[in-house]
Amino acid sequence: MPLDTGAIARTLMRTPGASADGLETTHTLLCRREAGAFQRAAKATGPGEALLVACTQESQLFLDLNAETAGAPSTDERPIHFVNLRETGGWSRDAKAATPKLAALIAAAQMPDVQPVTTVPFHSAGRCLVIGGADAAQSAAAMLRDRLAVTLLVDEAAGVDGALAQRRDLPVFAGRVTRLRGWLGAFEVQWSSSNPIDLDLCTRCNACLDACPEGAIDFRYQIDLSRCKSHRDCVQVCDAAGAIDFHRAPLVTDERFDLVLDLRETPAFSQHQPPQGYFHVPHGPQGVRGAAEPKRLFDAVLQLRELVGTFDKPKFFHYQHRLCAHSRNEQIGCTACIDVCSTSAISSDASRKGKAKTELAGGIVVEPHLCAGCGACTTVCPSGALTFAYPGPVDQGKRLHRLITTYARAGGQHAALLLHSEQAGAKLIDDLGRAARVDRSVHGVPARVLPVAVWHTASVGIDLWLSAIAQGASQVFVLLTAEEAPEYRAALAEQMAVAQALLTGLGYAGEHFKLIEARDARDLAALDAALRSAPAQVVAQPTPIVAQADKRATLDLMIDHLSAHAPAPADVVALPKAGAPFGAVLVDTAKCTLCLSCVGACPENALADNPERPQLRFTEKNCVQCGLCETTCPEGAITLVPRLLLADEGRARRQPRVLHEVEPFRCIRCAKPFGTLKVIENMMAKLSAHPAFQGAAAERLKMCGDCRVIDLHSNASEVRITDMPRGTPRY
């Protein structure tokens, strides 16, 4: 591939934090006859430094060479990083123009490792439950029993699926699963058995099979009740073991397991991403399975055999309860994170029932053991209460900024970021580069497209997308493969529609955000064409500001910059309703009584009262369009309007404005203001027919609290409890 190492070195020398060391020589066979050069570099790079190799194909070979090189620090003392330049840029039809991209990729790869995150522990002792028909379950158990403590649960729904072996080597039960929940090392399983034969007591003497005149019992040692004619000969011959009882109530068993292999047709978990430690390999009737199932079963068995011991995974998220807009006062507002989670790891915690007054309520609960790290919850969260931590927005923002600025510093134009997963996405890009090497009809990754590997494509959202555009990028592409759940596709599409509406409303021409679908190598042609789309308009002056830890702060900074340099500045930009994190609140003043229940419900302090006079005030910058005010309003006077207010150079959305104001109602006795006219009128109307609020009592409703008490005790005609005759019932 064409390499201009001189130009790359000059760019790196001008890039803060980057280094051009090692670019004096361009290697052609570093992994073979030039391996000595790598070994010399391995010894020359001391502990605490990092060694970067621009090759991913032979990464294992270089790691082995480092371990075998005398005097070279271990990878624990000095890490070795790898960056792919060949498939991502060198094998492309415009590879000669890819020098800015290669410099950017090297500069980004030289960034220090991010700080480690908190881990979530799993403990597995190897207790494995295999669920399915008799034949299928026993076959799978035979491949696991030398490594795991296996228990078989023969599914009653499997019908006449095979027979149990005469020799009982494993605990065997029969029944229907009624509950299965948990994760690796902590599965809770409940099953119910209504069959008269208790497999735990059965000795498999086969006397019942011989005695049954209808042949209702087979080698599964379960009775087919549709064929049984109640002769009960089986009960008599099983008297010693007592395994058969037609009058026994269904047996309900609760057990805990570390691992579950589910061979039933329908999985126990319906979500896209089941819990770790659970494997579903469906088997058809009579133990017959599809052509692909043997490989799936073999892969599952291999993974199960290794899941014994203590394991850690990153805690992928940070949650700040004070920012959460899910609920207030048991009223539900934003449910975006719950709706998008494909592992069912997020649940509502809106109820106050059973909680002390000092406990937090009104938010969500995220189970870290179920979280798979997709990050979609953080992408759709409008308030920033959920933040992705692997890596966090600051580290990810610095990486994107390094890519974009280095690319521009090297003379590159119209940079497009291609966000892809580290697994399936990276493989597709490698496949595209290799195809471009041998097929002249394939273009390969264009010189202006900068691939960015992320843990999960759904973990990067609108705050980082807009940061990239504000820093000078032309576009942001997100490559979706078979890994992404349907919920993620919908969520990313909604967020991109919001981001694109914002830029279009400011006059930026072109398509700045795009989802690219490519499930496997068969979609390479579509991927190749999508990456060659025309660039979109870039900002006239890139911002040097990088992403902040707070999502809303990042959005405010980037929107201000994009608005300040907009080709067609606008005071208001309309946004799609779905997924909009900005907007206004409209109040129907004819309905609003200024009860201020919306103020108490607002989790972001967007709505506020005025201690000096009856007012409802609104600060649009704080509104996340959660809908709690709309849900809480007893008069139905509130409507949400998704939009971005940019008037007065953005100051309008930061300043509180009055949505509704009325003159206060004054006490008829002391003239002190204590409510609003509409509230008092509504109260008078609702209580007008009540016998306790007639005459003077009705007038007291127009008094403040102090005057009401004074009037009650100073009225000589008022009947007092002390004046009532003895023996009068008192309630």
Side-chain angles (χ1 to χ4, degrees), residues 602-652:
C602 181
E604 308 299 331
N605 295 321
L607 289 167
D609 62 349
N610 185 344
E612 304 299 326
R613 55 186 300 110
Q615 280 184 345
L616 176 61
R617 299 192 292 182
F618 176 63
T619 305
E620 189 155 333
K621 181 182 79 71
N622 296 341
C623 182
V624 298
Q625 296 284 286
C626 66
L628 273 167
C629 57
E630 189 176 33
T631 304
T632 302
C633 180
E635 286 86 25
I638 293 179
T639 304
L640 300 181
V641 181
R643 70 175 193 181
L644 182 62
L645 180 63
L646 299 169
D648 195 19
E649 298 181 343
R651 287 187 288 269

